[in-house]
Amino acid sequence: MNDVLIEMHNINKTYCTGEVEFKALHDVDLRVEQGEMLAIMGPSGSGKSTLMHIMGLLDSFDSGSYIFLDQDIKRLNSNQAAYFRNQNIGFVFQSFNLLPRLNILDNVALPLIYAGEKRSVRFEKAYHVLEQVGLADWRDHRPSEISGGQKQRVAIARALVCEPILLLADEPTGNLDSQATKEIMELFQTLNQQNMTVVIITHEKEVAKYVNRIIKIIDGRVKS
Amino acid sequence: MIFESIKMAFFSLKSNKIRSILTMIGITVGVAAVITIVSMGSGVQELILGEFEQLGASSSTISLNFNKATDSDRINQEDISALRLQIQNLKYISRPVYAIGNYEAKHEDHLIFLMGVDSDFLKMYSPELVAGRFFTPVEYEDGLPSIIIDPIVANRFFGSAERAIGQEVETQVDHQILKGKIVGVINYPGGDLMNSMMTSGGMMTDEIPLFFYTTAKTIQHYFPNNNSAMGIMLMAKSPNFIDQVNTQAIKLIEFRHDNAGLGIYNSRNMADMLQQIEKIMNIVTIVISVIAAISLVVGGIGVMNIMLVSVTERYREIGIRKAIGATMNDILIQFLTEAIFLTTFGGFCGLVAGVLLSRMVSAILNFRVVLSLRWIAIAIIFSTLTGLIFGIAPARKAAKLSPIDALRYE
Ligand SMILES: Nc1ncnc2c1ncn2[C@@H]1O[C@H](COP(=O)(O)OP(=O)(O)OP(=O)(O)O)[C@@H](O)[C@H]1O
Ligand SMILES: [Mg+2]
């Protein structure tokens, strides 16, 4: 049942800013199974976001291998990577990253434009996932008109709308109070029970309670 | 996807209304100015060409060079008879005369321009007869006081062309009176051209005169002191003969007045004039095109500037879009569409403004403006191209952003 979704081996990542080189990831090995709910924890600056960006095909890595569902990620060009992200990975960010000028429904439907879906299909699917996160009644509002917890649920709806295999969340509760944190984590749990693979980056102990497995990262190295 | 990007572009420009409008104005003003100038220019061109076509390619004029000529150089009626006899391939020859005078009606004096024409004159120009008749051979021969007017005069003083026929009019030239009867109303499309020939012949008036026509003999008869022949008009049997007719005519006139080689007589051939006018119009077109190009470049730089600002402002949006699956091309098209939308819509507004403006000018100055489909197409195509050319750099900048750089950007 538990097939391997992600297989990373010896991943290295160095940032170069002018003269200075900074090695953000050292020989990282990581394996994520389908249907898992995983937390990546570590102190600030340890390389958690860097790892997530690489997992999410948002950033390149210097060496090592990365297989996602039998696909060798190194071989994808930027257009293929964009489509791969669109179809397989949903992102949730700490600062929500909704487009302020679009209403809630348009925000949620946005990834479907890049999936090439027809307008009617887009709004139907977006409405459906908004219902799933309990915000269908808010669809005509702007992001500025709803609370942080609601924004994050909209962001999760957007991440879900293309029916991805993997949800990647970078400190999704970092800007939320404990009540909203609880709601969001329960939502992730529900999704996980419906067989969604969820990877959450966090440094909150509270959040870690909800996951099956925790990976620790310190100074760009994985400590299990 | 294209329709989607246009909608997206419209939406994003709408949420920054004032900035978008200010950016557009650059293009709008340029296109409006060009469209106005062009349609007025084509109007003038059509007017002039229309009158020349009326005269035909086989006609020419011979006039006195007023700087050199003396009274003895004037072309007289005997010259005309001689030319008619001796020049081959000459179809018509006319020596119109004129007198400036008054016409009193409704207790007001009106300046009139009394043209004395001969039978060839009307044959050459073949004006449209609105009411009544042309002059009869007897009238031409005997100089009877018959008068023809144009519809403007007829409507103004008699209500209609029909009612003008048979009316008595009294005109005065230098205290001499000509009492005549209106026999016809003609629509003479060459009137404006005649007018300009008069003025170039040294006659200037502030008031636009009313045009009255009578026969040349009549003017001679009633105003014997009049010495106003301004030149002669020739029409050859075909355009091929006009040069030959012209040269021979000048030679003969010079021979008869014994003033050969002094350059007393100017000759103008309609075909030459047409060519000259076309040359001028081509220059005007080039000048307009340069103005248009400059204004589009200036407008385009404005668009580029705003688009660069917009890209920087929207780093985060670009990052989000890329994260959720937008390719480089998607982003490129999005920003390019915005730029093209700005310039095309700006150009369209300029087109509308230009059409309205030239309509207004046409209403005020009372002449027809002509806007060809060609210029409408050029205006739209070039404003679109401007958006494409000046939008490509900002759009590429946006497309090339890496998603994480764009997401991390504060
Ligand atoms: N674009 C970049 N250029 C240079 N250095 C970078 C860049 N991005 C990240 N880094 C460095 O890499 C290291 C890891 O960054 P990363 O964002 O992955 O940390 P993090 O674990 O997510 O921290 P936080 O918990 O504060 O979000 C940091 O020291 C950071 O300074
Ligand atoms: Mg981070």
Side-chain angles (χ1 to χ4, degrees):
Chain A
M1 162 80 214
N2 279 0
D3 293 330
V4 176
L5 179 65
I6 284 177
E7 182 84 69
M8 282 181 158
H9 190 57
N10 275 342
I11 296 284
N12 284 284
K13 174 75 182 175
T14 306
Y15 288 114
C16 304
T17 28
E19 303 277 285
V20 190
E21 281 196 2
F22 183 85
K23 189 139 196 194
L25 293 178
H26 286 270
D27 293 335
V28 170
D29 285 353
L30 180 66
R31 189 184 164 99
V32 180
E33 283 166 4
Q34 264 185 52
E36 231 186 333
M37 184 146 169
L38 177 74
I40 298 176
M41 297 188 74
S44 186
S46 56
K48 305 183 296 290
S49 295
T50 305
L51 180 59
M52 193 200 93
H53 290 148
I54 291 174
M55 279 171 84
L57 280 62
L58 291 173
D59 206 353
S60 59
F61 47 96
D62 308 330
S63 64
S65 70
Y66 176 14
I67 311 290
F68 188 120
L69 263 189
D70 301 330
Q71 173 68 52
D72 183 357
I73 297 306
K74 263 237 141 113
R75 290 173 175 275
L76 297 180
N77 66 26
S78 84
N79 281 346
Q80 290 166 328
Y83 188 67
F84 195 90
R85 278 200 296 278
N86 181 259
Q87 293 293 299
N88 298 311
I89 305 169
F91 291 95
V92 179
F93 302 96
Q94 178 175 357
S95 51
F96 321 123
N97 279 344
L98 301 174
L99 295 188
R101 296 194 201 120
L102 302 184
N103 68 25
I104 301 303
L105 189 69
D106 285 331
N107 260 292
V108 173
L110 198 59
L112 294 166
I113 288 184
Y114 300 114
E117 293 283 9
K118 275 200 314 209
R119 187 186 157 82
S120 55
V121 177
R122 292 204 304 264
F123 288 134
E124 200 178 306
K125 285 190 173 175
Y127 184 83
H128 180 71
V129 284
L130 266 180
E131 253 181 343
Q132 233 180 308
V133 301
L135 285 174
D137 293 340
W138 292 84
R139 62 185 178 279
D140 292 330
H141 289 255
R142 295 290 178 90
S144 55
E145 295 160 3
I146 60 177
S147 74
Q150 288 174 318
K151 280 184 205 169
Q152 200 57 300
R153 279 192 281 159
V154 172
I156 292 170
R158 182 180 65 188
L160 293 173
V161 79
C162 284
E163 297 162 35
I165 304 166
L166 173 67
L167 266 191
L168 283 179
D170 191 350
E171 313 219 23
T173 59
N175 285 350
L176 302 179
D177 64 13
S178 55
Q179 179 56 33
T181 300
K182 186 166 167 275
E183 282 171 22
I184 293 297
M185 289 315 296
E186 279 169 4
L187 180 55
F188 278 129
Q189 234 171 10
T190 314
L191 292 168
N192 180 244
Q193 275 152 20
Q194 292 159 8
N195 219 12
M196 174 71 69
T197 312
V198 183
V199 175
I200 299 170
I201 288 170
T202 185
H203 46 231
E204 294 170 66
K205 293 256 158 41
E206 180 71 22
V207 169
K209 286 196 301 197
Y210 292 87
V211 301
N212 325 124
R213 185 157 73 101
I214 296 174
I215 288 172
K216 287 222 165 78
I217 266 196
I218 296 167
D219 290 338
R221 287 173 217 270
V222 177
K223 311 261 153 136
S224 359
Chain B
M1 191 66 214
I2 290 294
F3 182 65
E4 218 47 65
S5 341
I6 292 174
K7 239 176 40 190
M8 222 143 73
F10 178 71
F11 189 81
S12 128
L13 293 173
K14 209 182 76 181
S15 51
N16 234 325
K17 236 179 253 156
I18 293 183
R19 186 204 277 182
S20 307
I21 288 169
L22 287 176
T23 312
M24 260 173 45
I25 283 176
I27 304 278
T28 304
V29 168
V31 170
V34 168
I35 289 295
T36 310
I37 298 169
V38 160
S39 45
M40 282 168 57
S42 323
V44 172
Q45 187 171 17
E46 203 190 70
L47 191 78
I48 295 172
L49 288 184
E51 293 196 354
F52 275 99
E53 251 153 49
Q54 194 74 29
L55 301 182
S58 50
S59 45
S60 74
T61 63
I62 296 172
S63 57
L64 284 177
N65 183 343
F66 281 88
N67 297 326
K68 298 182 188 169
T70 62
D71 268 359
S72 68
D73 296 324
R74 286 181 181 273
I75 301 168
N76 54 40
Q77 201 55 49
E78 287 76 51
D79 294 331
I80 299 296
S81 308
L83 288 167
R84 214 192 287 277
L85 279 175
Q86 292 179 38
I87 307 291
Q88 283 175 354
N89 297 320
L90 180 65
K91 194 170 172 197
Y92 299 124
I93 178 164
S94 166
R95 177 178 164 276
V97 294
Y98 67 88
I100 311 249
N102 293 317
Y103 165 53
E104 201 190 305
K106 297 175 183 166
H107 310 294
E108 252 188 272
D109 266 348
H110 301 278
L111 183 68
I112 61 161
F113 189 88
L114 187 60
M115 274 248 356
V117 301
D118 44 32
S119 61
D120 277 11
F121 185 87
L122 288 183
K123 281 179 200 149
M124 238 188 259
Y125 293 97
S126 53
E128 178 201 349
L129 189 64
V130 180
R133 57 171 174 81
F134 293 120
F135 299 122
T136 60
V138 179
E139 282 168 334
Y140 282 123
E141 265 319 296
D142 297 353
L144 299 177
S146 300
I147 287 181
I148 290 179
I149 54 177
D150 63 27
I152 299 169
V153 176
N155 288 334
R156 184 160 157 200
F157 296 101
F158 305 106
S160 77
E162 284 71 27
R163 260 186 271 165
I165 305 299
Q167 298 280 349
E168 290 271 343
V169 287
E170 189 178 303
T171 60
Q172 230 188 43
V173 178
D174 288 340
H175 307 295
Q176 287 163 306
I177 290 175
L178 164 64
K179 250 192 191 145
K181 200 163 137 197
I182 297 172
V183 298
V185 177
I186 57 170
N187 212 347
Y188 176 51
D192 290 345
L193 189 70
M194 281 311 301
N195 205 350
S196 69
M197 276 181 69
M198 309 287 129
T199 40
S200 71
M203 195 203 88
M204 299 279 195
T205 54
D206 288 338
E207 196 185 335
I208 297 170
L210 307 170
F211 267 74
F212 280 52
Y213 304 91
T214 185
T215 69
K217 270 273 169 64
T218 312
I219 290 202
Q220 220 174 13
H221 192 239
Y222 282 82
F223 316 116
N225 299 336
N226 185 288
N227 195 10
S228 65
M230 45 212 167
I232 60 170
M233 294 160 176
L234 304 164
M235 188 183 263
K237 285 186 174 140
S238 94
N240 300 337
F241 298 129
I242 187 62
D243 280 338
Q244 167 239 317
V245 165
N246 224 6
T247 346
Q248 284 182 11
I250 290 179
K251 247 189 209 150
L252 183 61
I253 297 168
E254 282 177 343
F255 174 74
R256 288 173 58 88
H257 291 265
D258 193 22
N259 54 13
L262 297 180
I264 299 285
Y265 303 104
N266 292 331
S267 142
R268 285 193 161 229
N269 181 323
M270 290 306 154
D272 291 350
M273 281 166 106
L274 253 164
Q275 246 176 16
Q276 229 165 1
I277 286 169
E278 262 163 24
K279 233 188 235 165
I280 292 169
M281 286 302 167
N282 283 341
I283 293 171
V284 170
T285 306
I286 291 169
V287 170
I288 290 171
S289 309
V290 169
I291 295 171
I294 290 172
S295 70
L296 283 180
V297 166
V298 171
I301 290 170
V303 169
M304 184 156 155
N305 186 25
I306 285 300
M307 289 312 295
L308 284 171
V309 170
S310 167
V311 168
T312 313
E313 276 179 0
R314 286 152 71 190
Y315 265 24
R316 219 183 170 79
E317 175 189 332
I318 296 163
I320 295 166
R321 286 181 185 272
K322 287 201 152 186
I324 62 174
T327 61
M328 272 168 80
N329 264 340
D330 291 332
I331 301 293
L332 186 90
I333 288 170
Q334 183 190 344
F335 281 87
L336 206 52
T337 312
E338 276 182 34
I340 289 174
F341 194 99
L342 268 180
T343 59
T344 308
F345 190 61
F348 179 77
C349 290
L351 186 67
V352 172
V355 168
L356 291 180
L357 210 66
S358 49
R359 281 280 147 78
M360 249 165 63
V361 170
S362 125
I364 292 167
L365 297 185
N366 197 17
F367 86 95
R368 214 168 85 82
V369 294
V370 181
L371 185 58
S372 65
L373 222 66
R374 194 175 67 134
W375 277 97
I376 293 179
I378 287 175
I380 294 296
I381 289 171
F382 274 87
S383 10
T384 304
L385 273 181
T386 306
L388 188 72
I389 291 166
F390 290 92
I392 196 91
R396 275 174 61 96
K397 187 183 167 196
K400 277 171 144 176
L401 274 180
S402 95
I404 37 160
D405 286 346
L407 276 174
R408 279 186 201 261
Y409 186 81
E410 296 294 328

